[in-house]
Amino acid sequence: IKRIAVLTSGGDAPGMNAAIRSVVRKGIYHGLEVFGIRKGYEGLIHGEFIAMNLGAVADIIHRGGTMLMTARSQEMTTPEGQKNAAAQLRYREIDALIVIGGDGSFRGAQTLSAQGIPIVGIPGTIDNDITGTDLTIGFDTAVNNVVQAVSKIRDTATSHDRTFLVEVMGRDCGNIALQSGVACGAESILVPEIQPDIDDIVAKLERGHQRGKHHSIIMVAEGATSAWNLGEELRRRTGFETRVTILGHIQRGGNPSALDVVLASQMGAKAVEILCAGETDRMTACVNQEILSLPLEVAYGERRPFNKGLYDLANQLAI
Ligand code: F6P
């Protein structure tokens, strides 16, 4: 291969810039020409290519968001859009494509592969919901963002003797809620993977109150339940004052953590190595701290197993 292109797709995730930088620099290191595609598959379909040199990725390693911009492309879900996307790559004689994004983005990549375009996916999403990899780029930063926000919420919660329900992102996956809930010492963690026991949450809140606790934090994954309804039910059943904070897109912003930058740098480089070895339909994965190449279909095969051990530990520590 001589020419490769890279795009970011779906929700942005801190560390995507470090992955772009790594793809560009590793590609140039191996004598390849590297192109960036703006705005994900939208930009691919509409021909928004930029030639990338070493300087094009200077000073981005530490920045959140994605310098290539991103999109959730409706057009790429249509056969016509998929055909146009492949045609754009052929027209520019681009031999292979690296897609940084979540499982939806990987499905888009697979439609290109079906048309003969070699592709590699790099898991980049704050949700950490991709099967096959222990970590996705952006998850660690998002969890740290939640922990920082909750430490501020704690100050006001304690001052007012209130119970706070903190709603975090993750779509239908509870990993952000679980990891940040453990890191914050939350009283309860609600995730879509496990049916909540409201009686148990009420009992815990009451026990904490009797011990003289002046605040309680309940971490609610957005896919688990409505934090508003739960807050109201807890207020009704305990008589405690409740408040809801929806952290929203704050979780996706800010400088990536060192862990995310290192992970992104390793995965970007691995993706280039995979293409140089003549492989396609692969994804990079972090398994037991090693960066591996796995078949792309692993990402949308079986659902990623939920870390029940960590969930149980959280409950044991919040007795
Ligand atoms: O997939 C990342 C994510 O932040 C999810 O956690 C969330 O449900 C969704 O994207 C929000 O999407 P949008 O930014 O398009 O509103």
Side-chain angles (χ1 to χ4, degrees), residues 153-188:
I153 289 172
R154 237 175 231 280
D155 290 344
T156 172
T158 310
S159 306
H160 284 266
D161 212 339
R162 281 173 174 161
T163 296
F164 266 79
L165 294 99
V166 180
E167 184 190 290
V168 298
M169 281 186 167
R171 211 181 284 275
D172 58 355
C173 173
N175 279 339
I176 295 178
L178 175 61
Q179 192 84 0
S180 55
V182 172
C184 293
E187 271 61 40
S188 298

CSV table of all heavy atoms in Angstrom, one decimal, residues 153-188:
chain,number,residue,atom,x,y,z
A,153,ILE,N,-19.9,18.3,43.3
A,153,ILE,CA,-21.3,18.1,43.8
A,153,ILE,C,-21.3,17.7,45.2
A,153,ILE,O,-22.2,18.2,46.0
A,153,ILE,CB,-22.0,17.0,42.9
A,153,ILE,CG1,-22.2,17.5,41.5
A,153,ILE,CG2,-23.3,16.5,43.5
A,153,ILE,CD1,-22.7,16.5,40.5
A,154,ARG,N,-20.4,16.9,45.7
A,154,ARG,CA,-20.3,16.5,47.1
A,154,ARG,C,-20.3,17.7,48.0
A,154,ARG,O,-20.9,17.6,49.1
A,154,ARG,CB,-19.0,15.7,47.3
A,154,ARG,CG,-19.1,14.4,47.8
A,154,ARG,CD,-17.7,13.8,47.8
A,154,ARG,NE,-17.7,12.5,47.1
A,154,ARG,CZ,-18.0,11.4,47.7
A,154,ARG,NH1,-18.4,11.4,49.0
A,154,ARG,NH2,-18.0,10.3,47.1
A,155,ASP,N,-19.5,18.7,47.7
A,155,ASP,CA,-19.4,19.9,48.5
A,155,ASP,C,-20.8,20.5,48.8
A,155,ASP,O,-21.1,20.7,50.0
A,155,ASP,CB,-18.5,21.0,47.9
A,155,ASP,CG,-17.1,20.6,47.8
A,155,ASP,OD1,-16.7,19.6,48.5
A,155,ASP,OD2,-16.3,21.2,47.1
A,156,THR,N,-21.5,20.7,47.8
A,156,THR,CA,-22.8,21.3,48.0
A,156,THR,C,-23.8,20.3,48.6
A,156,THR,O,-24.7,20.7,49.4
A,156,THR,CB,-23.4,22.0,46.7
A,156,THR,OG1,-24.7,22.4,46.9
A,156,THR,CG2,-23.3,21.0,45.5
A,157,ALA,N,-23.7,19.0,48.2
A,157,ALA,CA,-24.6,18.0,48.8
A,157,ALA,C,-24.4,17.9,50.3
A,157,ALA,O,-25.4,17.9,51.0
A,157,ALA,CB,-24.3,16.6,48.1
A,158,THR,N,-23.2,18.0,50.8
A,158,THR,CA,-22.9,17.9,52.2
A,158,THR,C,-23.4,19.1,52.9
A,158,THR,O,-24.0,19.0,54.0
A,158,THR,CB,-21.4,17.7,52.4
A,158,THR,OG1,-20.9,16.7,51.6
A,158,THR,CG2,-21.0,17.4,53.9
A,159,SER,N,-23.2,20.3,52.3
A,159,SER,CA,-23.6,21.5,53.0
A,159,SER,C,-25.2,21.5,53.2
A,159,SER,O,-25.6,22.1,54.1
A,159,SER,CB,-23.2,22.7,52.1
A,159,SER,OG,-21.9,22.7,51.8
A,160,HIS,N,-25.9,20.9,52.3
A,160,HIS,CA,-27.4,20.9,52.4
A,160,HIS,C,-28.0,19.6,52.9
A,160,HIS,O,-29.2,19.5,52.9
A,160,HIS,CB,-28.0,21.2,51.0
A,160,HIS,CG,-27.9,22.6,50.6
A,160,HIS,ND1,-28.9,23.6,50.8
A,160,HIS,CD2,-26.9,23.3,50.0
A,160,HIS,CE1,-28.5,24.7,50.4
A,160,HIS,NE2,-27.3,24.6,49.9
A,161,ASP,N,-27.1,18.6,53.2
A,161,ASP,CA,-27.6,17.3,53.6
A,161,ASP,C,-28.6,16.7,52.5
A,161,ASP,O,-29.7,16.4,52.8
A,161,ASP,CB,-28.4,17.5,54.9
A,161,ASP,CG,-28.3,16.2,55.8
A,161,ASP,OD1,-28.0,15.2,55.2
A,161,ASP,OD2,-28.4,16.3,57.0
A,162,ARG,N,-28.1,16.6,51.3
A,162,ARG,CA,-28.9,16.2,50.2
A,162,ARG,C,-28.4,14.9,49.6
A,162,ARG,O,-27.3,14.5,49.6
A,162,ARG,CB,-29.0,17.2,49.1
A,162,ARG,CG,-29.9,18.4,49.4
A,162,ARG,CD,-29.7,19.5,48.4
A,162,ARG,NE,-30.7,20.5,48.6
A,162,ARG,CZ,-30.6,21.8,48.1
A,162,ARG,NH1,-29.5,22.1,47.4
A,162,ARG,NH2,-31.5,22.7,48.3
A,163,THR,N,-29.4,14.2,48.9
A,163,THR,CA,-29.0,13.0,48.1
A,163,THR,C,-29.0,13.5,46.6
A,163,THR,O,-30.0,14.1,46.2
A,163,THR,CB,-30.1,12.0,48.3
A,163,THR,OG1,-30.1,11.5,49.6
A,163,THR,CG2,-29.9,10.8,47.3
A,164,PHE,N,-27.9,13.2,46.0
A,164,PHE,CA,-27.7,13.6,44.6
A,164,PHE,C,-27.8,12.4,43.7
A,164,PHE,O,-27.1,11.4,43.9
A,164,PHE,CB,-26.4,14.4,44.3
A,164,PHE,CG,-26.6,15.9,44.4
A,164,PHE,CD1,-26.7,16.5,45.6
A,164,PHE,CD2,-26.7,16.6,43.2
A,164,PHE,CE1,-26.8,17.9,45.7
A,164,PHE,CE2,-26.9,18.0,43.3
A,164,PHE,CZ,-26.9,18.6,44.5
A,165,LEU,N,-28.6,12.5,42.6
A,165,LEU,CA,-28.6,11.5,41.6
A,165,LEU,C,-27.8,12.1,40.4
A,165,LEU,O,-28.1,13.2,39.9
A,165,LEU,CB,-30.0,11.2,41.1
A,165,LEU,CG,-30.8,10.5,42.3
A,165,LEU,CD1,-31.7,11.5,43.0
A,165,LEU,CD2,-31.6,9.3,41.7
A,166,VAL,N,-26.7,11.5,40.0
A,166,VAL,CA,-25.9,12.0,39.0
A,166,VAL,C,-26.0,11.1,37.7
A,166,VAL,O,-25.7,9.9,37.8
A,166,VAL,CB,-24.4,12.0,39.4
A,166,VAL,CG1,-23.5,12.5,38.3
A,166,VAL,CG2,-24.2,12.8,40.7
A,167,GLU,N,-26.6,11.7,36.7
A,167,GLU,CA,-26.8,10.9,35.5
A,167,GLU,C,-25.6,11.0,34.5
A,167,GLU,O,-25.1,12.1,34.2
A,167,GLU,CB,-28.0,11.3,34.7
A,167,GLU,CG,-28.3,10.4,33.5
A,167,GLU,CD,-29.4,11.0,32.6
A,167,GLU,OE1,-30.6,11.0,33.0
A,167,GLU,OE2,-29.1,11.4,31.5
A,168,VAL,N,-25.0,9.9,34.2
A,168,VAL,CA,-23.9,9.9,33.3
A,168,VAL,C,-24.2,9.2,31.9
A,168,VAL,O,-25.2,8.5,31.8
A,168,VAL,CB,-22.6,9.2,33.9
A,168,VAL,CG1,-22.2,9.9,35.2
A,168,VAL,CG2,-22.9,7.7,34.3
A,169,MET,N,-23.3,9.4,31.0
A,169,MET,CA,-23.6,8.9,29.6
A,169,MET,C,-23.2,7.4,29.5
A,169,MET,O,-22.9,6.7,30.5
A,169,MET,CB,-22.7,9.6,28.6
A,169,MET,CG,-23.3,11.0,28.2
A,169,MET,SD,-22.3,11.7,26.9
A,169,MET,CE,-23.4,13.0,26.4
A,170,GLY,N,-23.3,6.8,28.3
A,170,GLY,CA,-22.9,5.5,28.1
A,170,GLY,C,-23.9,4.7,27.2
A,170,GLY,O,-23.8,3.5,27.0
A,171,ARG,N,-24.9,5.5,26.8
A,171,ARG,CA,-26.0,4.9,25.9
A,171,ARG,C,-26.6,3.7,26.6
A,171,ARG,O,-27.0,3.8,27.8
A,171,ARG,CB,-25.4,4.5,24.6
A,171,ARG,CG,-26.4,4.6,23.5
A,171,ARG,CD,-25.7,4.2,22.1
A,171,ARG,NE,-24.9,5.2,21.6
A,171,ARG,CZ,-25.3,6.3,20.9
A,171,ARG,NH1,-26.5,6.4,20.6
A,171,ARG,NH2,-24.4,7.2,20.5
A,172,ASP,N,-26.5,2.4,26.1
A,172,ASP,CA,-27.1,1.3,26.8
A,172,ASP,C,-26.0,0.5,27.5
A,172,ASP,O,-26.2,-0.7,27.8
A,172,ASP,CB,-27.8,0.4,25.8
A,172,ASP,CG,-26.9,-0.1,24.6
A,172,ASP,OD1,-25.8,0.3,24.6
A,172,ASP,OD2,-27.4,-0.9,23.8
A,173,CYS,N,-24.9,1.1,27.9
A,173,CYS,CA,-23.8,0.4,28.6
A,173,CYS,C,-23.6,1.1,29.9
A,173,CYS,O,-23.5,2.4,29.9
A,173,CYS,CB,-22.6,0.4,27.7
A,173,CYS,SG,-21.1,-0.2,28.5
A,174,GLY,N,-23.3,0.4,30.9
A,174,GLY,CA,-23.2,1.0,32.3
A,174,GLY,C,-21.7,1.2,32.7
A,174,GLY,O,-21.5,1.4,33.9
A,175,ASN,N,-20.8,1.1,31.8
A,175,ASN,CA,-19.4,1.1,32.2
A,175,ASN,C,-18.9,2.4,32.8
A,175,ASN,O,-18.1,2.5,33.7
A,175,ASN,CB,-18.5,0.7,31.0
A,175,ASN,CG,-18.4,-0.8,30.9
A,175,ASN,OD1,-18.7,-1.5,31.8
A,175,ASN,ND2,-18.0,-1.3,29.7
A,176,ILE,N,-19.4,3.5,32.2
A,176,ILE,CA,-19.0,4.8,32.8
A,176,ILE,C,-19.6,5.0,34.2
A,176,ILE,O,-18.8,5.4,35.1
A,176,ILE,CB,-19.5,6.0,31.9
A,176,ILE,CG1,-18.8,6.0,30.5
A,176,ILE,CG2,-19.2,7.4,32.6
A,176,ILE,CD1,-19.2,7.1,29.6
A,177,ALA,N,-20.8,4.6,34.4
A,177,ALA,CA,-21.5,4.7,35.7
A,177,ALA,C,-20.7,3.8,36.7
A,177,ALA,O,-20.5,4.2,37.8
A,177,ALA,CB,-22.9,4.3,35.6
A,178,LEU,N,-20.4,2.6,36.3
A,178,LEU,CA,-19.8,1.6,37.2
A,178,LEU,C,-18.4,2.1,37.6
A,178,LEU,O,-18.1,2.2,38.8
A,178,LEU,CB,-19.7,0.2,36.5
A,178,LEU,CG,-18.9,-0.8,37.3
A,178,LEU,CD1,-19.6,-1.1,38.6
A,178,LEU,CD2,-18.8,-2.1,36.5
A,179,GLN,N,-17.6,2.5,36.6
A,179,GLN,CA,-16.2,2.8,36.9
A,179,GLN,C,-16.1,4.1,37.8
A,179,GLN,O,-15.4,4.2,38.8
A,179,GLN,CB,-15.4,3.0,35.6
A,179,GLN,CG,-13.9,3.2,35.7
A,179,GLN,CD,-13.2,1.8,35.8
A,179,GLN,OE1,-13.9,0.8,35.8
A,179,GLN,NE2,-11.9,1.8,36.0
A,180,SER,N,-16.9,5.1,37.3
A,180,SER,CA,-16.9,6.4,38.1
A,180,SER,C,-17.6,6.2,39.4
A,180,SER,O,-17.2,6.9,40.4
A,180,SER,CB,-17.5,7.5,37.3
A,180,SER,OG,-18.8,7.2,36.8
A,181,GLY,N,-18.6,5.4,39.5
A,181,GLY,CA,-19.3,5.1,40.8
A,181,GLY,C,-18.4,4.6,41.8
A,181,GLY,O,-18.4,5.0,42.9
A,182,VAL,N,-17.6,3.6,41.4
A,182,VAL,CA,-16.6,3.0,42.3
A,182,VAL,C,-15.5,4.1,42.7
A,182,VAL,O,-15.2,4.2,43.9
A,182,VAL,CB,-15.9,1.8,41.7
A,182,VAL,CG1,-14.7,1.3,42.5
A,182,VAL,CG2,-16.9,0.7,41.4
A,183,ALA,N,-15.1,4.9,41.7
A,183,ALA,CA,-14.1,5.9,41.9
A,183,ALA,C,-14.6,7.0,42.9
A,183,ALA,O,-13.8,7.6,43.6
A,183,ALA,CB,-13.6,6.5,40.6
A,184,CYS,N,-15.9,7.2,42.8
A,184,CYS,CA,-16.5,8.3,43.7
A,184,CYS,C,-17.0,7.8,45.0
A,184,CYS,O,-17.4,8.5,45.8
A,184,CYS,CB,-17.7,8.9,43.0
A,184,CYS,SG,-17.3,9.8,41.5
A,185,GLY,N,-17.0,6.5,45.2
A,185,GLY,CA,-17.5,5.9,46.4
A,185,GLY,C,-19.0,6.1,46.5
A,185,GLY,O,-19.6,6.4,47.5
A,186,ALA,N,-19.7,6.0,45.3
A,186,ALA,CA,-21.2,6.3,45.3
A,186,ALA,C,-21.9,5.2,46.2
A,186,ALA,O,-21.5,4.1,46.3
A,186,ALA,CB,-21.7,6.2,43.9
A,187,GLU,N,-23.0,5.7,46.7
A,187,GLU,CA,-23.8,4.8,47.6
A,187,GLU,C,-24.5,3.7,46.8
A,187,GLU,O,-24.5,2.5,47.2
A,187,GLU,CB,-24.9,5.6,48.3
A,187,GLU,CG,-24.6,6.2,49.6
A,187,GLU,CD,-23.4,7.2,49.5
A,187,GLU,OE1,-23.4,7.9,48.6
A,187,GLU,OE2,-22.5,7.1,50.4
A,188,SER,N,-25.0,4.1,45.6
A,188,SER,CA,-25.6,3.1,44.7
A,188,SER,C,-25.2,3.4,43.2
A,188,SER,O,-25.0,4.6,42.9
A,188,SER,CB,-27.1,3.1,44.8
A,188,SER,OG,-27.5,2.8,46.1
